[in-house]
Amino acid sequence: MKFSLFYEMQISHPTRRTEAQLFHDCVAQVELADALGYHCVWEVEHHGLYEYSHSSAPEVFLSFVAARTENIRLGHGITLTPYRYNHPIRIAERIATLDILSGGRVNWGSGKSSSLTEQLAFENDVSQLHAQWLEALDMIPRMWQEDVFEYKGTFFDVPAIQVLPKPVQQPHPPMFAACSKPESAVAVGQLGIGALNFAIGNDEYLAEKVANYRAAVEAANPAIYKKTNHFACTPVTLCLEDDRKACRYGMRGALFFAESLATYYFSGKRPTGPLQGITREFMRDEDLADAMAFRGAEDAPAMNIIGDPSHCREIVSRFEAAGVDEIICVMQVGTVPHELVMESIRTFGEQVIPHFSGETTMGRAAAR
Amino acid sequence: MRFTDGRIGVYPGLAPAATTMNESVFFDMLGGELSYARANMTGKIRHCGEGNMSMIVGALVGGFRQALTAEGPGARPLRAWGRLVIRNRPTVREGLS
């Protein structure tokens, strides 16, 4: 089981000053995670999702972090590949450059984007996004491997060009894609790339989803890139010595995360300015007590890893039993103060991660 | 319930997921007194089966709340209907799924 950090760059009621401070805080958090042996820092690409995500230039953040860290991997989670956002040649060039400068530490995730705000801002033809993503996925690994790249597809007609530089990882950085629905996890598996799962569900549902992905990826035989068999989940996480304090801040943060996400992705609106109807205050004592008790319920979804180290280990073991390879902890959420994120990275790194080193249950089973 | 091309219908057969909640929880969500995320986190909503289907409850509630705040004279019937649903909230508390 591997443990990583996930960054949306969230901030509640930002000002110019606090927004700038957020970026420096995130760098400090990743430096600490690197020192504690976390596996990877995954950074999103979003545009215009006020409060929910201020991470619009992940390639710049990850480059800065690369220079300040030694071992932690640098994950794009994910790069928006429709060409209105990023031309495939520019993606290949940037990823390869980061791979060289970081000493081969890049994980590359890709996707098509699903928020109306950014789809319309970049004047995308929404009906073509999926096809554009697939074509970029077909092009970029070729650019990394072929001395001279030439391509004729649905959206691109590229005459012979040398796409430079080439990445240092051979044959190229590991490839991943975002997924949430069961059928999209299978589709990602069929492509032969790693799955970054953003969905929730109970243990049985998650185990089935992982198993279906695993069957698909094992049968996949991608012709132009190296297969990545890897399933990651992204739970909101806050791990503190004080269980109640962790729940008080962590659950408020998880609500901010879920409700701001729902505002941009499920409301059908394209809000601007401060988000309305979002939880920014602490839960009432009786609700907090209910939520703390519900964590251990049999049918509680494997959704958040919040509590003291003992509770966190218990929830992590459920992800492990479902066959998950990597937990990408979402610790930096809009209403959790930087100091608590730092405390959580340290507590989780020292008291949870060491209990789960090695392969997953399914990985061991597959190896037998 | 099945959703196809933006339409909702009720069909016989095995559902991929089931969501269970108390009736008062459902009306609290419609009335904006309780968010779907908070109900989910505190165990007021229980869900089994396909995880993403649980999000549909949140989307349905969000759609209803949106109808309440829809702007313009054309949306007047929608707003009136939404207010009527909330005003006529049942007083009998029964399980609803």
Side-chain angles (χ1 to χ4, degrees):
Chain A
M1 176 74 88
K2 293 182 168 70
F3 295 91
S4 304
L5 291 181
F6 185 79
Y7 281 91
E8 294 275 6
M9 301 272 191
Q10 291 205 336
I11 183 165
S12 176
H13 289 318
T15 63
R16 291 281 181 96
R17 187 189 63 77
T18 60
E19 183 190 56
Q21 186 58 46
L22 165 70
F23 280 74
H24 295 294
D25 290 346
C26 290
V27 171
Q29 291 162 20
V30 179
E31 284 180 308
L32 177 60
D34 182 46
L36 289 164
Y38 281 72
H39 172 66
C40 183
V41 48
W42 291 92
E43 178 85 4
V44 305
E45 177 185 342
H46 282 308
H47 302 278
L49 306 189
Y50 188 73
E51 296 193 299
Y52 175 71
S53 175
H54 288 230
S55 172
S56 54
E59 67 278 12
V60 177
F61 178 78
L62 290 174
S63 301
F64 192 85
V65 159
R68 301 278 290 260
T69 55
E70 294 289 332
N71 299 307
I72 197 165
R73 293 188 65 82
L74 310 158
H76 277 273
I78 46 87
T79 304
L80 303 181
T81 51
Y83 59 80
R84 290 271 189 176
Y85 297 114
N86 295 292
H87 192 287
I89 293 177
R90 291 288 291 127
I91 296 173
E93 292 167 342
R94 291 199 310 250
I95 297 294
T97 303
L98 181 59
D99 202 49
I100 290 170
L101 292 174
S102 68
R105 287 193 276 150
V106 176
N107 285 351
W108 182 59
S110 66
K112 60 188 178 185
S113 88
S114 49
S115 114
L116 203 57
T117 300
E118 49 204 4
Q119 287 171 350
L120 297 186
F122 282 80
E123 301 176 78
N124 283 292
D125 177 350
V126 177
S127 68
Q128 298 294 320
L129 291 175
H130 188 77
Q132 288 180 18
W133 168 56
L134 289 178
E135 189 154 307
L137 211 54
D138 188 49
M139 295 168 73
I140 292 168
R142 292 178 197 270
M143 296 179 201
W144 286 331
Q145 296 171 91
E146 295 172 3
D147 290 335
V148 178
F149 173 80
E150 195 171 357
Y151 194 86
K152 193 167 182 59
T154 307
F155 304 101
F156 294 95
D157 188 353
V158 183
I161 180 176
Q162 297 178 80
V163 179
L164 304 168
K166 303 296 184 197
V168 294
Q169 291 183 87
Q170 295 294 332
H172 54 75
M175 291 166 55
F176 301 81
C179 61
S180 55
K181 296 176 187 168
E183 58 269 26
S184 61
V186 170
V188 167
Q190 287 168 339
L191 287 168
I193 55 183
L196 303 173
N197 172 48
F198 292 96
I200 56 169
N202 58 24
D203 297 19
E204 192 185 349
Y205 163 78
L206 180 60
E208 187 183 328
K209 192 172 183 179
V210 176
N212 290 340
Y213 162 79
R214 208 71 79 181
V217 78
E218 280 165 8
N221 191 18
I224 52 161
Y225 47 79
K226 187 182 174 188
K227 182 155 72 176
T228 296
N229 182 346
H230 192 86
F231 193 97
C233 284
T234 54
V236 172
T237 302
L238 195 69
C239 181
L240 306 174
E241 294 285 1
D242 182 334
D243 189 46
R244 192 171 190 281
K245 183 178 179 184
C247 290
R248 195 161 179 260
Y249 281 91
M251 289 172 176
R252 179 181 69 163
L255 287 173
F256 180 92
F257 186 88
E259 290 168 357
S260 57
L261 180 150
T263 303
Y264 284 110
Y265 288 89
F266 299 117
S267 73
K269 291 181 176 174
R270 293 181 291 123
T272 53
L275 297 175
Q276 304 299 313
I278 301 300
T279 299
R280 300 174 199 271
E281 69 281 2
F282 290 114
M283 293 169 99
R284 292 176 305 182
D285 284 349
E286 59 265 36
D287 283 345
L288 184 62
D290 285 347
M292 289 175 72
F294 186 53
R295 282 179 300 174
E298 206 171 282
D299 59 343
M303 185 169 57
N304 303 319
I305 303 175
I306 295 174
D308 61 17
S310 163
H311 273 101
C312 290
R313 287 194 294 268
E314 199 176 300
I315 303 169
V316 169
S317 66
R318 291 169 54 190
F319 281 97
E320 185 186 42
V324 171
D325 298 305
E326 179 180 2
I327 289 181
I328 307 174
C329 300
V330 187
M331 292 200 197
Q332 194 285 317
V333 289
T335 52
V336 177
H338 167 60
E339 295 70 26
L340 289 189
V341 177
M342 293 290 276
E343 187 182 334
S344 176
I345 290 170
R346 182 175 294 285
T347 308
F348 193 87
E350 290 176 347
Q351 299 189 49
V352 177
I353 291 178
H355 288 259
F356 296 93
S357 56
E359 297 168 298
T360 64
T361 309
M362 185 164 286
R364 282 193 294 273
R368 277 199 289 270
Chain B
M1 291 189 290
R2 193 181 300 158
F3 299 85
T4 310
D5 296 331
R7 288 172 167 269
I8 185 170
V10 179
Y11 300 88
L14 193 63
T19 297
T20 309
M21 74 193 87
N22 191 290
E23 195 174 281
S24 64
V25 169
F26 185 60
F27 278 94
D28 282 349
M29 289 197 299
L30 290 185
E33 296 151 41
L34 177 66
S35 76
Y36 166 76
R38 187 175 292 235
N40 201 32
M41 184 177 284
T42 53
K44 292 182 172 69
I45 289 178
R46 297 296 175 107
H47 187 80
C48 67
E50 192 182 311
N52 286 306
M53 301 299 278
S54 70
M55 301 298 279
I56 287 176
V57 179
L60 278 174
V61 171
F64 181 85
R65 298 290 307 159
Q66 203 175 336
L68 285 177
T69 56
E71 292 173 5
R76 198 174 291 149
L78 202 57
R79 290 196 300 268
W81 170 76
R83 283 196 296 270
L84 189 70
V85 169
I86 291 178
R87 216 170 19 241
N88 290 305
R89 141 186 209 148
T91 51
V92 181
R93 299 285 183 262
E94 290 174 356
L96 184 74
S97 68

